[in-house]
């Protein structure tokens, strides 16, 4: 199951600061200065915060994918 700090995998919540809304989106990202190219970190987003969080990651070149939470499949770890 999705491992996001502070979120309950049964009822995942948005990663935006102070938001307690249900997560609808998974934002997969990678900081190339810290992570190997195949590594994907994840933030969760509600409808209200999806665009803001995507832009935050996007301007830094970190955003790799935005997927509906129900469709997200975590990459297999070696």
């Amino acid at each position: 199951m999705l491992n996001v700090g502070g979120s309950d995998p049964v009822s995942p919540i948005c990663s935006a600061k102070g938001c307690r809304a249900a997560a609808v989106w998974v934002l997969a990202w990678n900081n190339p200065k810290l992570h190997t190219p195949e590594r994907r970190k994840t933030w969760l987003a509600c409808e209200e915060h999806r665009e803001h969080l995507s832009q935050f990651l996007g301007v830094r070149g970190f955003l790799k994918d935005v997927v509906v939470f129900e469709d997200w499949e975590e990459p297999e770890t070696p």
Side-chain angles (χ1 to χ4, degrees), residues 16 24 36 52:
V24 179
T36 58
H52 171 73

Side-chain angles (χ1 to χ4, degrees), residues 46-60:
C46 64
E47 286 292 345
E48 180 180 351
H49 292 112
R50 179 183 66 96
E51 186 65 29
H52 171 73
L53 293 173
S54 293
Q55 286 179 354
F56 180 89
L57 293 168
V59 298
R60 290 158 178 80

Side-chain angles (χ1 to χ4, degrees), residues 6-7 11 13 20 22 25 27-28 39 41 47 49-52 54-55 59 62 65 67-68 71-73 75 77-78:
S7 77
S11 56
I13 59 166
R20 306 307 298 164
W25 299 94
L27 284 63
R39 173 103 186 259
K41 303 284 285 180
E47 286 292 345
H49 292 112
R50 179 183 66 96
E51 186 65 29
H52 171 73
S54 293
Q55 286 179 354
V59 298
F62 295 173
D65 204 3
V67 180
V68 174
D71 296 340
W72 175 252
E73 293 183 24
T77 53

Side-chain angles (χ1 to χ4, degrees), residues 29-32 34-40 64:
W29 62 277
N30 172 299
N31 180 340
L34 302 175
H35 308 120
T36 58
E38 66 280 350
R39 173 103 186 259
R40 292 294 178 265
K64 301 301 180 191

